[in-house]
Amino acid sequence: MTSPAGIGSQPAALAREVVLDDATLVIRARDGDMRAFEVLVRRYQGPMYRLALRMLSSRGDAEDVVQEVFLTAWRRLGRLREDAAFVGWLYRATTNRCLNIIRARRPVADADLDSRESVDAAGSPERAAQVSEQLSALAVALRRLTPEQRACWLLREVHGRSYEEIARVLGTTRTAVRGRIARARAQLAEVMAPWR
């Protein structure tokens, strides 16, 4: 049997586990609080990794990009003008680093996107094979887009960023973003038509 004191202390312990917003964590991290920065890393490393992986089609390159982005973020926290703009800053840094890598690359053979998660969840072997083929076709189609189109499409369709945010990330206009996304959607729709 639990004592009344034990019951009362449990909610008090839970109350201490307050989820802090990004701006508060950035301020604390800037003041040298490594734990605050670790919370930011845990919060955003997954989305940044998925973005980099889809842009680069290489797990190793994606891991390197995310590591570089967070190291740079730690070193440059003092330069961040708006504390609440941290996530936008991460998206911009990740996207720009990926675009630089894509531009520097020579054409390479197909790389494996981490499709095992989707295949495992698909159920039957036939369905798993179909999902695997669809993911492979999508990976090929994404690589055929220009790097800017790919970045715009991924930021909008996969990461749910607004046109304004994407324009800021890529240093372009909202109209240019809309155009790139429209062209990317058209190209992807054409390539993926057999899978409908």
Side-chain angles (χ1 to χ4, degrees), residues 20 26 29 38 48-49 55 57 65 74 90 110 128 142 152 160:
L20 299 174
V26 167
E38 288 171 5
M48 296 308 117
Y49 174 76
M55 287 189 71
S57 299
V65 164
W74 174 250
L90 286 179
D110 287 346
L142 282 172
C152 288

Side-chain angles (χ1 to χ4, degrees), residues 36 53 67 89 97 112 122 126 130 157-159 167 172 184:
L53 180 63
Q67 184 176 13
W89 191 34
R97 180 71 188 121
D112 175 35
E126 296 84 16
Q130 184 182 19
E157 302 298 335
V158 177
H159 293 271
T172 190

Side-chain angles (χ1 to χ4, degrees), residues 31-103:
D31 290 339
D33 184 345
M34 277 297 287
R35 287 188 194 143
F37 190 72
E38 288 171 5
V39 171
L40 290 167
V41 170
R42 282 193 306 274
R43 189 174 287 175
Y44 293 112
Q45 72 183 353
M48 296 308 117
Y49 174 76
R50 287 188 295 277
L51 173 62
L53 180 63
R54 296 296 186 237
M55 287 189 71
L56 300 172
S57 299
S58 165
R59 289 185 200 122
D61 288 347
E63 290 168 359
D64 290 346
V65 164
V66 172
Q67 184 176 13
E68 289 173 26
V69 165
F70 280 105
L71 283 172
T72 301
W74 174 250
R75 289 183 192 126
R76 296 185 181 169
L77 271 178
R79 297 180 191 172
L80 184 61
R81 291 182 187 146
E82 292 181 44
D83 299 327
F86 182 75
V87 70
W89 191 34
L90 286 179
Y91 272 108
R92 185 170 43 257
T94 302
T95 301
N96 288 336
R97 180 71 188 121
C98 290
L99 289 172
N100 290 340
I101 290 171
I102 291 168
R103 290 179 187 127

